[in-house]
Amino acid sequence: MLSKLMETIDKYCYNVDKDFINKAYNFAVDAHKKQKRESGEPYIIHPEEVACILAEMGMDQNTIAAGLLHDVIEDTEYSYEDVTREFNSEVADLVEGVTKLGKISYKTKEEQQADNVRKMLLAMAKDIRVILIKLSDRLHNMRTLRYMSVKKQKEKAKETLDIFAPLAHRLGISKIKWELEDLAFRYMKPNEYYELVDDISEKRVEREEYIKDIVVDLHKNLEEANILADIDGRPKHFYSIYRKMVNKNKTLDQIFDLTAIRILVNDIRECYTVLGIVHTMYKPIPGRFKDYIAMPKPNMYQSLHSTVIGPQGKSFEIQIRTYEMHKTAEYGIAAHWKYKEGITEEADSKDSEPVKADFNTKLTWVREMLDWQKETTNPEEFMESFKIDLFEDEVFVFTPNGKVINLPSEATPVDFAYKIHTDIGNRCIGGKVNGKIVPLDYKLKTGEIVEVLTSGITKGPNIQWLNSVKSNQAKVKIKSWFKKAKREENISRGKEVVEKEAKKQGYNFAEFIKEIGLDQILKKNSVNSLEDLYVSVAIGSTSASILVSKLKESMTGKSSVDTDETALKDIKEHISKEARKEKAKKTYNPGVTVKGETDILVRFSKCCNPVPGDDIIGYITKGRGVSIHRKDCENANNLIKQDGRRIVEVAWGNGSEAYVAEIQIKADDRPKLLTDIMEILNSMDTNIQSMSAKAVKGDIAFVTFKIKIVDISHLDILMRNIKKLRGVMEVYRTKN
Ligand code: MN
């Protein structure tokens, strides 16, 4: 049993004390001796396999030991202290870290999930190895998922696809990511999985032949150029093929790169030489070449990719990279763990230098996610952006100085601006791409040179930007700007209200502060600063009149005229006033009550444009609230005939919004008629929404106005005044 682990350690790890591992193994065997796996096998198989996966990643001795002991604290009688005493505190910390993550129950609720993710991020920020153990644990559990109930299988599979596989991807551990995805795919969608496996194996022989020929040709050409390379045809993973088929709506036959050919060489210079040779052998497809060596992916992946047209006109993908890059491609952050540890290998080449710095970049991502998590109060929103961030594809653009900036795909110049600096984002007024001005919702493409135009003053972001930006960073910054801006607005509004109220009650607010003391005032109102107090007044959680009355009381030492009862009434009034305002905003209810209710969605019918003062009726529409008609509206009368039960009583409230009325004027078509009418409208401060005029039979004019009026009396006076004009025969409101 143990020999498998020891062999793996020999193959992939350095400086591991086998006695130490042996001791951990025996400790785990003893601790779990009463337990069995779901499969009926001894429990120790599970921790041993987990340790093997960690050893394959080339992890250090403490991590491998922690892999063996990872379930000890949770499942057995041994404690953190026991593990520390028997081994060391680093091993104990790792085991405890995994145990804490294990306690997470992944419910469907987004809130729960967001909290779990937060815990994982925190654990990662503390020691990334905890997550590597957790991923190995999950991988072995997925490999043995068949022993679980179907319900459990689906749950685990979904969670694996949602969180663990993307996490592995983010950390660059593609080997684990692919296996997790294929296993989860099998349990999530068994029918699709087995159908795909069958379809692929059917064509396997044919495809293998094809690839074999290409590999032979490549070897021949590379040998001529004196390049030693490992070449192999790598079949793509089931889940990635399946996703491609679903996302791009293609059949298996239409996906040409089922197999990618991978060429591994010694150094970077050879990578580019090989690329040149490949492109002389096979025609490259334009736009499919990607240089991830010059521009590594955020998960540290480096490689050259190109899709070329091979024999028989079939295209295939080719990937060229160094052995070192390959290790990173498979094990991601785990491959770089040893650099942090300061262990060097003989195989280290100069190539590893640029990637080394990315270890910190990786942790930067974890820290960034934690920051976002702190700033995003809505758990659903956080989970959404977390998932997007895990999966997201990137574009790489340049600053005018040639610095590479990577952004989520479809990012805009605004994303770019915020990535450079928050202040640049807040002052952003335009963007230039390759020297040309572009709109701010322009979707950036890899390779473009981006410049941000800023204004001298910080005028702040536009709320509309939230619809087009793609990065979490930009979203969070924009939102927090608005939150802050709103606060400033509330401070000044609250201050104004408080000062006005003080004056009304015969005082000066500054007097209160001087007499009572700011500290006392803040304490009494349980706020931390004067600004907070103003905000609290502005948003209605503190009533200005009660505040001032209380201050008066403290100052004079005797109860003010305001009794508790009036104070209570005050609050109620304030609240209901605010509520009414809110409701009015939401329902666009311009002051009509429906059977005494004010918060029902009403719409003014376009056929008769009722205005306050008109006799009106309401008609309950299907799904669009109550439509308001004038009682003399013909449409309304038809509606009553059709279905009288839908008619409801409505009445005008006392809103102060403007209403639209349409009036028509019949008059002699004389010069200056329109000017005269306009003059009357102007003199009565009436806004015109639209106007049309036509002459009939050469001497009679019909002029139609849509105007905004305050109420029926406003309209009456207006119509009477127009009627007084010379040559006007009739003035009436249109009905249809
Ligand atoms: Mn486990």
Side-chain angles (χ1 to χ4, degrees):
M1 280 276 291
L2 186 58
S3 62
K4 184 186 168 191
L5 176 60
M6 290 304 179
E7 273 167 35
T8 315
I9 290 174
D10 279 339
K11 210 165 153 195
Y12 299 103
C13 307
Y14 300 85
N15 301 331
V16 171
D17 175 1
K18 295 242 178 92
D19 289 341
F20 189 78
I21 299 298
N22 225 327
K23 191 177 162 197
Y25 177 79
N26 289 325
F27 189 90
V29 169
D30 179 57
H32 291 294
K33 64 175 179 275
K34 287 180 206 138
Q35 270 176 287
K36 287 235 184 306
R37 290 282 284 172
E38 292 284 333
S39 60
E41 292 168 306
Y43 194 84
I44 188 64
I45 289 182
H46 170 62
E48 200 204 347
E49 288 291 342
V50 170
C52 274
I53 297 168
L54 290 164
E56 269 174 50
M57 285 195 266
M59 296 309 293
D60 60 301
Q61 163 180 314
N62 282 339
T63 310
I64 297 171
L68 283 167
L69 301 167
H70 81 268
D71 280 330
V72 161
I73 295 184
E74 186 169 13
D75 293 346
T76 76
E77 65 208 50
Y78 294 101
S79 65
Y80 174 87
E81 287 72 29
D82 296 329
V83 178
T84 312
R85 197 181 51 245
E86 289 294 321
F87 301 93
N88 57 49
S89 62
E90 197 178 308
V91 173
D93 282 341
L94 288 170
V95 175
E96 199 192 38
V98 178
T99 306
K100 276 187 188 152
L101 290 180
K103 288 224 175 79
I104 296 169
S105 55
Y106 295 91
K107 303 237 172 78
T108 39
K109 267 168 65 193
E110 298 278 345
E111 199 173 324
Q112 184 82 36
Q113 222 178 28
D115 193 45
N116 296 337
V117 168
R118 188 183 57 86
K119 281 185 191 154
M120 284 211 271
L121 290 169
L122 280 169
M124 276 197 267
K126 240 171 115 190
D127 193 333
I128 199 96
R129 292 176 298 174
V130 170
I131 295 301
L132 299 178
I133 299 171
K134 186 74 202 167
L135 283 173
S136 308
D137 176 44
R138 173 51 60 114
L139 180 56
H140 184 247
N141 285 335
M142 286 301 290
R143 282 177 183 168
T144 53
L145 200 59
R146 61 182 174 282
Y147 300 109
M148 296 282 192
S149 68
V150 173
K151 187 170 166 269
K152 261 259 150 62
Q153 287 176 353
K154 298 247 186 230
E155 267 171 31
K156 291 276 166 197
K158 184 172 186 318
E159 185 184 283
T160 299
L161 277 188
D162 274 355
I163 296 178
F164 290 99
L167 202 55
H169 170 68
R170 249 299 164 174
L171 300 174
I173 315 167
S174 49
K175 229 182 154 186
I176 288 185
K177 176 215 166 194
W178 282 322
E179 198 181 337
L180 284 176
E181 278 183 350
D182 279 357
L183 285 165
F185 177 33
R186 185 199 297 176
Y187 291 102
M188 283 278 283
K189 295 184 189 296
N191 294 341
E192 285 89 338
Y193 174 82
Y194 288 109
E195 196 181 323
L196 185 65
V197 172
D198 279 354
D199 286 356
I200 288 177
S201 63
E202 234 173 64
K203 287 164 192 136
R204 189 148 78 212
V205 181
E206 187 192 332
R207 203 174 47 245
E208 275 172 1
E209 281 298 311
Y210 180 75
I211 295 293
K212 216 171 79 192
D213 291 347
I214 294 173
V215 171
V216 169
D217 275 357
L218 280 168
H219 265 301
K220 212 178 96 213
N221 281 277
L222 293 186
E223 269 163 35
E224 277 168 23
N226 273 328
I227 293 173
L228 274 178
D230 276 334
I231 307 174
D232 72 318
R234 175 184 73 92
K236 289 220 167 152
H237 298 267
F238 295 126
Y239 188 65
S240 68
I241 294 171
Y242 174 75
R243 230 183 6 210
K244 215 172 214 175
M245 286 166 65
V246 171
N247 289 348
K248 301 196 172 158
N249 199 16
K250 284 187 169 168
T251 64
L252 191 58
D253 293 325
Q254 287 169 312
I255 297 174
F256 46 79
D257 46 359
L258 281 180
T259 309
I261 290 186
R262 185 192 293 142
I263 304 176
L264 301 182
V265 291
N266 280 314
D267 58 37
I268 290 179
R269 184 201 291 258
E270 279 182 352
C271 289
Y272 289 97
T273 312
V274 170
L275 179 75
I277 293 169
V278 168
H279 281 182
T280 53
M281 290 170 67
Y282 311 106
K283 212 179 180 47
I285 296 179
R288 295 293 301 260
F289 169 63
K290 284 171 200 130
D291 187 346
Y292 294 121
I293 291 181
M295 289 178 280
K297 286 192 184 181
N299 64 10
M300 298 182 279
Y301 179 84
Q302 285 189 296
S303 190
L304 298 177
H305 285 195
S306 186
T307 303
V308 297
I309 300 169
Q312 301 159 36
K314 285 188 198 161
S315 49
F316 62 92
E317 190 186 61
I318 201 139
Q319 302 176 348
I320 307 160
R321 52 185 180 247
T322 67
Y323 291 101
E324 192 60 36
M325 290 170 189
H326 185 55
K327 210 190 288 170
T328 303
E330 302 247 280
Y331 294 114
I333 200 156
H336 291 269
W337 172 250
K338 37 176 105 44
Y339 292 118
K340 203 191 163 203
E341 291 284 87
I343 299 165
T344 43
E345 309 164 28
E346 319 96 74
D348 261 4
S349 68
K350 281 171 281 157
D351 287 351
S352 55
E353 277 303 319
V355 198
K356 216 160 150 183
D358 284 333
F359 187 85
N360 288 324
T361 316
K362 203 72 263 129
L363 291 177
T364 308
W365 172 76
V366 174
R367 277 191 292 267
E368 262 175 18
M369 280 313 297
L370 275 172
D371 281 350
W372 293 334
Q373 200 270 340
K374 257 181 251 154
E375 286 189 56
T376 316
T377 43
N378 179 348
E380 277 157 46
E381 196 178 292
F382 171 69
M383 274 318 289
E384 197 45 45
S385 48
F386 177 71
K387 283 181 193 164
I388 290 169
D389 204 76
L390 284 173
F391 277 118
E392 127 193 320
D393 281 333
E394 268 98 0
V395 290
F396 301 91
V397 294
F398 297 94
T399 67
N401 301 329
K403 198 181 163 222
V404 179
I405 303 287
N406 68 294
L407 294 165
S409 69
E410 302 205 321
T412 68
V414 177
D415 287 298
F416 179 90
Y418 278 103
K419 182 93 183 187
I420 304 282
H421 196 278
T422 307
D423 190 46
I424 305 277
N426 286 340
R427 288 192 293 126
C428 171
I429 47 167
K432 262 185 179 178
V433 164
N434 297 340
K436 279 194 193 122
I437 302 256
V438 294
L440 281 177
D441 59 359
Y442 175 84
K443 294 184 168 78
L444 299 172
K445 290 179 223 37
T446 291
E448 288 177 332
I449 300 168
V450 187
E451 211 175 317
V452 179
L453 309 173
T454 55
S455 87
I457 46 147
T458 307
K459 65 174 189 62
N462 183 327
I463 194 92
Q464 300 292 335
W465 292 353
L466 283 174
N467 299 328
S468 58
V469 296
K470 284 286 178 291
S471 59
N472 287 317
Q473 203 170 5
K475 273 182 205 160
V476 169
K477 299 288 182 206
I478 294 169
K479 280 186 194 159
S480 85
W481 193 90
F482 278 104
K483 227 183 267 167
K484 236 182 261 162
K486 193 96 189 182
R487 180 176 158 82
E488 260 138 46
E489 198 184 296
N490 280 331
I491 290 172
S492 66
R493 201 155 55 94
K495 184 166 189 269
E496 201 179 303
V497 171
V498 169
E499 278 166 0
K500 223 187 232 167
E501 183 62 37
K503 206 170 276 168
K504 203 174 112 193
Q505 299 198 29
Y507 286 83
N508 181 335
F509 192 64
E511 243 174 87
F512 289 133
I513 297 176
K514 217 161 87 191
E515 291 292 319
I516 304 166
L518 185 59
D519 284 353
Q520 274 297 315
I521 295 178
L522 298 182
K523 215 170 122 195
K524 279 205 169 127
N525 289 283
S526 344
V527 288
N528 292 322
S529 68
L530 195 54
E531 278 86 6
D532 285 352
L533 183 62
Y534 290 146
V535 169
S536 150
V537 169
I539 63 173
S541 34
T542 299
S543 148
S545 67
I546 294 175
L547 173 72
V548 172
S549 307
K550 282 217 179 124
L551 291 174
K552 259 160 64 180
E553 216 174 289
S554 330
M555 212 156 82
T556 56
K558 62 175 179 83
S559 182
S560 76
V561 279
D562 277 331
T563 62
D564 277 356
E565 217 169 299
T566 48
L568 205 65
K569 209 176 117 212
D570 242 26
I571 300 174
K572 276 188 183 157
E573 245 169 42
H574 181 81
I575 291 171
S576 70
K577 209 164 102 196
E578 289 299 313
R580 268 205 304 278
K581 260 195 232 157
E582 272 307 302
K583 274 177 186 165
K585 255 187 253 157
K586 271 182 209 141
T587 56
Y588 303 103
N589 183 342
V592 167
T593 59
V594 178
K595 274 192 175 163
E597 300 281 338
T598 49
D599 55 348
I600 286 177
L601 176 68
V602 302
R603 300 148 39 85
F604 289 91
S605 63
K606 290 273 176 345
C607 50
C608 54
N609 288 315
V611 299
D614 278 341
D615 278 342
I616 46 173
I617 53 163
Y619 179 76
I620 304 165
T621 65
K622 288 177 183 146
R624 290 181 304 147
V626 172
S627 73
I628 308 296
H629 292 264
R630 270 155 56 185
K631 255 193 182 144
D632 58 356
C633 173
E634 258 168 64
N635 277 349
N637 285 318
N638 287 335
L639 290 171
I640 294 174
K641 271 179 225 153
Q642 269 171 33
D643 193 352
R645 287 168 308 172
R646 288 181 171 271
I647 302 298
V648 285
E649 257 175 60
V650 291
W652 292 104
N654 37 18
S656 58
E657 272 104 319
Y659 299 85
V660 176
E662 190 175 81
I663 56 170
Q664 201 165 54
I665 300 149
K666 187 181 171 191
D668 284 335
D669 189 13
R670 64 165 174 91
K672 282 190 76 192
L673 172 69
L674 280 180
T675 331
D676 290 346
I677 297 172
M678 298 292 258
E679 218 159 76
I680 291 175
L681 292 176
N682 271 339
S683 71
M684 291 187 66
D685 280 334
T686 309
N687 282 323
I688 304 164
Q689 216 174 42
S690 68
M691 189 213 89
S692 70
K694 62 180 176 193
V696 187
K697 291 179 207 155
D699 51 359
I700 299 199
F702 285 90
V703 186
T704 314
F705 282 99
K706 259 194 186 152
I707 48 178
K708 281 190 176 165
I709 56 145
V710 179
D711 58 21
I712 193 83
S713 62
H714 176 196
L715 187 64
D716 273 346
I717 299 167
L718 192 81
M719 284 168 67
R720 242 179 289 146
N721 285 343
I722 294 173
K723 211 164 186 173
K724 282 181 204 152
L725 288 172
R726 186 169 54 87
V728 171
M729 290 173 259
E730 275 179 80
V731 181
Y732 46 88
R733 284 170 66 190
T734 56
K735 276 178 195 161
N736 281 304

